[in-house]
Amino acid sequence: LGPFFNTNRMVQEYHERYYAPAGERYEKLATDDYAAVKQQASWLEQVYRNWTVLKIEATEVMDSTADRPVGSSIDIRARVNLGELRPEQVLVEVYTGPVDEHFAVPEGESHPLAVELELENGQYVYRGRIPCHTSGQHGFLCRIRPNLEFAPRMLGMIRWE
């Protein structure tokens, strides 16, 4: 069994994919008496406290052309209410892909939207582009996610339009 089976490759791959990045993250978090951890905890408390206020008020396609050739793009604008949160605390994205028979987007890709304009009372206008990679019927939805560097998918928090 020994000459035909060797775990060296598996151990090396685990080290490169999981253990080394985890060690690097730990080093980043542990510097300056865990200042990054304390900052992230404070940030997380503020996000949880304000999460229910977040709302995508409106979305619009800036050019109403119905048919678009592959290789073109669609200009999107969204008016978003962040309440007491700041734009750097969240990611506002457009999620797009082919629609199914119920006009849902079961599998897609996300594209970031950037702040175009700050309004009043925690409202912002975001803008971005959706690339048209393939032909067929496509749809889009805007969403808001927390912008947390050290645990981007841990929170399970997404606010859809």
Side-chain angles (χ1 to χ4, degrees):
L1 184 64
F4 301 107
F5 186 79
N6 189 327
T7 61
N8 287 344
R9 183 207 52 82
M10 180 184 72
V11 170
Q12 178 68 29
E13 184 177 334
Y14 267 63
H15 174 76
E16 291 171 359
R17 291 178 67 182
Y18 303 107
Y19 301 132
E24 290 169 9
R25 265 189 246 109
Y26 170 79
E27 291 297 325
K28 272 178 128 175
L29 291 170
T31 58
D32 297 327
D33 192 31
Y34 295 92
V37 173
K38 294 171 186 172
Q39 178 184 3
Q40 292 293 325
S42 171
W43 174 91
L44 187 57
E45 179 186 354
Q46 184 182 15
V47 169
Y48 273 130
R49 196 172 53 247
N50 291 284
W51 193 252
T52 58
V53 176
L54 298 183
K55 186 174 183 185
I56 298 167
E57 302 283 350
T59 58
E60 64 180 310
V61 176
M62 301 308 293
D63 174 11
S64 61
T65 304
D67 295 324
R68 297 181 189 277
V70 172
S72 66
S73 62
I74 301 171
D75 191 13
I76 300 292
R77 188 161 59 184
R79 188 168 37 87
V80 177
N81 184 346
L82 298 182
E84 294 180 17
L85 296 179
R86 301 289 307 152
E88 60 271 9
Q89 293 178 291
V90 298
L91 299 171
V92 178
E93 302 170 319
V94 60
Y95 184 79
T96 182
V99 296
D100 63 14
E101 65 275 5
H102 305 291
F103 297 101
V105 181
E107 294 185 32
E109 59 187 25
S110 62
H111 301 279
L113 300 179
V115 174
E116 180 182 54
L117 180 64
E118 181 175 356
L119 303 173
E120 55 188 24
N121 299 324
Q123 293 204 4
Y124 295 85
V125 175
Y126 281 78
R127 196 166 187 165
R129 301 190 77 71
I130 301 173
C132 300
H133 296 303
T134 60
S135 62
Q137 282 192 316
H138 289 70
F140 73 89
L141 293 164
C142 287
R143 67 184 184 184
I144 306 170
R145 296 188 303 126
N147 185 13
L148 183 57
E149 176 187 354
F150 294 110
R153 290 170 183 81
M154 183 178 92
L155 302 175
M157 297 169 66
I158 298 178
R159 179 72 66 192
W160 294 91
E161 73 176 301

